[in-house]
Amino acid sequence: MYRTWLQFLALLGGFAVPGVLRVGGMEVFMSNEVEAVNGTEVRLKCTFKSKHPVSHSSVTVSWNFRPLGQGDEESVFYYQETAYPPTEGRFKGHAVWSGDILRQDASISLQNVPFTFNGTYTCQVRNLPDVHGINGEVTLRVVHKVSVSEIGMLAVAIGAAIAIVLVVLGIFVVCKYRKLNRHDNTDLELQGRELQERELNARILEERELNARILEERELNARILEERELNARVLEESELNARVLEESELNARVLEESELNAREKKEWKDPTVC
């Protein structure tokens, strides 16, 4: 009930906040199908992309499950600032958080999966105010464990095939080397030295070009910094001159008022003054 209420508030936030526009830019990425062996752990990967900044407080993640046959949709997992694993139902004690919101990863892991986990899993991600978008879906197929004898036979077959390929390749390389060494041993050494020199010269030239670009970028950054400092000094001087001018005008007005007051006092004290 608590998770359902949080989901409702998260969706409502995209409409009720003043000044927020409805934007449909949320994208969710998932595989079409994942296979897991009965009794093992499987990670259901879900990544997303939003047009708005991502934070722990703005993102909500909802995972739901639909059985392959008939059955109601079930809640698997919910995340909002912290993980809310299921407290009841078939996924209790099985679903754990394995994502990273800041890396735009909303994945979960299912531990000790049984055959009853066969079905379709939906990953819904919302990043306020980005609350519109298509949900991701993945189908999980839980299969029987492979027996030890089958694994051994498969390993032997693969090892034998690799050994045969390596033997044939070794014979071919030895024969080719002997043939070339018998006819063009000197030419091969000369060509090898020339190739090494070309590669060395190419690396030296590449390093010089890289150093030249680095030096050019440093000089450009130095000029930009110098211009910024010059502009800052010019602006500071302009502000200082403006303050000086303003103070001079204020002092002039104060002086003028003082002189006027002095004349008025003198005229008041000396009635003979016209």
Side-chain angles (χ1 to χ4, degrees):
M1 183 67 181
Y2 177 69
R3 293 196 300 270
T4 304
W5 178 244
L6 288 177
Q7 287 178 280
F8 175 76
L9 289 178
L11 292 175
L12 185 62
F15 303 93
V17 177
V20 176
L21 299 177
R22 294 175 59 182
V23 181
M26 177 63 67
E27 298 180 61
V28 179
F29 307 95
M30 298 182 71
S31 302
N32 293 329
E33 186 176 276
V34 175
E35 186 176 281
V37 177
N38 179 36
T40 62
E41 178 177 344
V42 61
R43 186 171 187 262
L44 302 182
K45 186 176 182 180
C46 175
T47 58
F48 61 92
K49 182 179 180 182
S50 176
K51 294 182 179 180
H52 296 273
V54 173
S55 66
H56 290 289
S57 59
S58 65
V59 175
T60 59
V61 181
S62 299
W63 279 87
N64 296 304
F65 168 75
R66 249 185 357 263
L68 291 179
Q70 294 182 350
D72 297 332
E73 188 173 76
E74 302 178 29
S75 176
V76 179
F77 205 92
Y78 184 74
Y79 182 96
Q80 185 179 24
E81 293 193 49
T82 186
Y84 294 95
T87 57
E88 58 183 11
R90 76 177 75 192
F91 295 101
K92 178 181 179 181
H94 292 277
V96 296
W97 177 253
S98 60
D100 187 343
I101 292 298
L102 299 183
R103 293 178 179 270
Q104 301 183 5
D105 186 353
S107 306
I108 63 172
S109 295
L110 300 179
Q111 299 175 339
N112 193 22
V113 294
F115 292 107
T116 55
F117 284 11
N118 276 306
T120 301
Y121 293 78
T122 303
C123 177
Q124 181 189 69
V125 184
R126 297 294 180 259
N127 179 39
L128 295 178
D130 201 352
V131 296
H132 299 279
I134 300 175
N135 301 331
E137 288 189 353
V138 59
T139 300
L140 173 63
R141 293 196 313 112
V142 181
V143 298
H144 289 282
K145 291 183 178 180
V146 181
S147 64
V148 177
S149 59
E150 292 177 346
I151 295 177
M153 292 175 61
L154 181 61
V156 171
I158 294 175
I162 294 175
I164 293 173
V165 171
L166 291 176
V167 170
V168 173
L169 182 60
I171 294 173
F172 175 79
V173 170
V174 170
C175 294
K176 189 70 175 178
Y177 176 78
R178 287 181 178 178
K179 182 178 179 180
L180 292 174
N181 189 44
R182 190 165 48 247
H183 291 88
D184 301 314
N185 188 34
T186 304
D187 292 338
L188 281 175
E189 292 178 355
L190 181 61
Q191 291 176 3
R193 286 196 297 271
E194 290 178 353
L195 181 61
Q196 290 178 354
E197 290 177 357
R198 289 177 183 176
E199 291 176 350
L200 179 60
N201 292 333
R203 286 197 296 270
I204 293 174
L205 180 61
E206 184 178 358
E207 290 177 357
R208 288 178 179 175
E209 292 176 351
L210 179 60
N211 292 332
R213 286 198 297 270
I214 293 174
L215 181 60
E216 184 178 354
E217 290 178 357
R218 288 179 178 175
E219 292 176 351
L220 179 60
N221 292 332
R223 286 197 298 271
I224 292 173
L225 181 59
E226 184 178 354
E227 289 177 358
R228 288 179 179 174
E229 293 176 350
L230 179 61
N231 292 332
R233 287 198 297 271
V234 170
L235 180 60
E236 184 178 354
E237 290 176 358
S238 299
E239 293 176 350
L240 179 60
N241 292 331
R243 287 198 297 271
V244 171
L245 180 60
E246 184 178 354
E247 290 177 358
S248 298
E249 292 176 353
L250 180 61
N251 292 332
R253 286 198 298 271
V254 170
L255 180 60
E256 183 179 352
E257 290 178 358
S258 298
E259 291 175 353
L260 180 60
N261 292 332
R263 285 197 300 271
E264 289 177 355
K265 288 180 179 180
K266 185 176 181 181
E267 289 175 358
W268 181 77
K269 290 180 177 180
D270 190 1
T272 62
V273 178
C274 295

